[in-house]
């Protein structure tokens, strides 16, 4: 019994470096990359960090619902709806904020839009939501006027 | 045990689709300088939130500094039935964390 375990152990050990290399490619780098994306100073940089060169094309299948005028820039309600199915990743970017990437969702088959969240907007700007479904990127943009502090109008 | 910072309201609709609204009590402070003393005040915000259904990860969110104070988050879960347990856990950039279990009634 003992010898077989030793051999199986050795066989297992020899395979480890191979799997180690593979694992290095997949989840861990994804995790590090996302943290980096939150440091990105421009939306393009954040998107490049998250999705490499893939381009998101605006689509009606992804809808970002947000107020046109937000009286209070510290709690702007966003709702993301979509008719796309099996979305696996959604990123929310406030293009005018110092750090544009606001939130990223990793969805599974248990979860789907509509999703809603309240975010802080520094000034009047475009908010972009990018969703990845079946490897294709879709985006939806809303221009939100922020009258910081003062009441609107 | 300390009062939980997470409140959740789960509405179980038909076809096992549940709409969940959660409110997390957290200051969500951004990097800023104190106007009077000019000292740099460090950011203190939730970095990631894990939402699990009966222990299986359903959504994992990552947040930057621009999420509002006391974040209110709503999402939809599929394949939910009465008696399931929804788990919500958050971790912030100062290492603090909290978790809550919410039965689906």
């Amino acid at each position: 019994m003992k010898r077989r375990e030793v051999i199986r152990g050795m066989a297992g050990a020899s395979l480890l470096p191979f799997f180690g290399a593979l694992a290095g490619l997949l989840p861990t780098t994804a995790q590090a990359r996302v943290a980096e994306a939150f440091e990105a100073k421009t939306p393009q940089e954040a998107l490049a960090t998250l999705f490499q060169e893939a381009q998101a094309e605006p689509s009606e299948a992804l809808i970002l619902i947000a107020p046109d005028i937000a009286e209070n820039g510290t709690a702007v309600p966003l709702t993301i709806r979509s008719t796309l199915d099996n979305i696996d990743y959604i990123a929310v970017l406030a293009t005018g904020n110092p750090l544009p990437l606001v939130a990223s969702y990793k969805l599974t088959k248990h979860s789907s839009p509509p999703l809603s969240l309240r975010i802080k907007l520094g000034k009047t700007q475009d908010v972009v939501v990018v969703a990845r479904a079946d490897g294709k990127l879709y985006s939806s943009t809303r221009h939100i006027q922020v009258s910081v502090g003062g009441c609107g109008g | 045990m300390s009062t939980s910072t997470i409140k959740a309201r789960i509405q179980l609709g038909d076809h096992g689709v549940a709409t969940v609204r959660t409110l997390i009590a957290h200051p969500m402070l951004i990097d800023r300088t104190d106007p009077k003393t000019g000292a740099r005040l460090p950011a203190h915000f939730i970095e990631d939130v894990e939402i699990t259904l009966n222990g299986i990860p359903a959504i994992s969110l990552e947040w930057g500094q621009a999420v509002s104070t006391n974040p209110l988050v709503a999402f939809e879960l599929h394949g939910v039935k009465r008696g399931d347990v929804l788990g919500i856990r958050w971790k912030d950039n100062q290492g603090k964390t909290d978790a809550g279990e919410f039965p689906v009634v």
Side-chain angles (χ1 to χ4, degrees):
Chain A
M1 249 312 262
K2 214 163 161 338
R3 212 159 44 82
R4 195 176 306 133
E5 258 130 28
V6 168
I7 293 168
R8 193 178 301 126
M10 270 184 332
S14 61
L15 286 176
L16 263 184
F18 172 68
F19 284 127
L22 240 186
L25 284 177
L26 292 171
T28 42
T29 47
Q31 208 51 33
R33 232 163 4 93
V34 169
E36 228 177 79
F38 280 101
E39 302 308 324
K41 295 287 181 291
T42 64
Q44 295 73 15
E45 202 185 320
L47 282 174
T49 316
L50 286 179
F51 302 113
Q52 288 73 46
E53 320 70 28
Q55 285 312 325
E57 21 107 15
S59 133
E60 290 312 316
L62 179 67
I63 305 147
L64 171 60
I65 300 164
D68 291 335
I69 299 173
E71 269 80 24
N72 177 357
T74 60
V76 181
L78 301 183
T79 299
I80 303 163
R81 286 190 181 285
S82 171
T83 50
L84 297 164
D85 40 26
N86 50 51
I87 293 179
D88 65 353
Y89 200 87
I90 291 185
V92 178
L93 297 119
T95 53
N97 275 4
L99 296 171
L101 183 57
V102 173
S104 74
Y105 291 77
K106 267 203 244 357
L107 301 180
T108 64
K109 61 178 173 23
H110 282 298
S111 53
S112 74
L115 309 165
S116 60
L117 183 69
R118 289 190 309 189
I119 68 169
K120 299 180 196 171
L121 294 181
K123 54 183 163 64
T124 301
Q125 61 189 288
D126 283 348
V127 176
V128 180
V129 61
V130 175
R132 178 176 62 200
D134 302 329
K136 260 168 69 58
L137 290 180
Y138 304 85
S139 77
S140 169
T141 305
R142 285 295 298 247
H143 183 72
I144 302 179
Q145 213 182 338
V146 175
S147 48
V148 185
C151 48
Chain B
M1 70 113 174
S2 72
T3 58
S4 167
T5 59
I6 306 168
K7 293 186 186 59
R9 210 151 44 80
I10 304 162
Q11 280 154 334
L12 185 54
D14 38 23
H15 313 305
V17 175
T19 306
V20 181
R21 256 181 289 280
T22 56
L23 179 63
I24 300 175
H26 196 282
M28 301 299 280
L29 303 172
I30 58 174
D31 259 331
R32 65 212 186 297
T33 51
D34 186 341
K36 284 191 285 303
T37 61
R40 210 181 73 76
L41 299 171
H44 179 207
F45 60 96
I46 291 177
E47 275 182 333
D48 45 63
V49 181
E50 282 294 324
I51 292 165
T52 58
L53 188 60
N54 301 334
I56 311 153
I59 302 181
S60 52
L61 294 100
E62 277 169 53
W63 285 344
Q65 299 188 15
V67 177
S68 304
T69 306
N70 297 335
L72 178 70
V73 184
F75 49 87
E76 215 173 73
L77 292 180
H78 296 258
V80 184
K81 48 192 177 329
R82 219 164 292 282
D84 280 358
V85 175
L86 174 78
I88 300 173
R89 163 185 302 282
W90 59 260
K91 184 177 81 59
D92 68 19
N93 65 336
Q94 290 179 0
K96 293 195 188 66
T97 181
D98 192 3
E101 300 277 329
F102 304 91
V104 177
V105 289

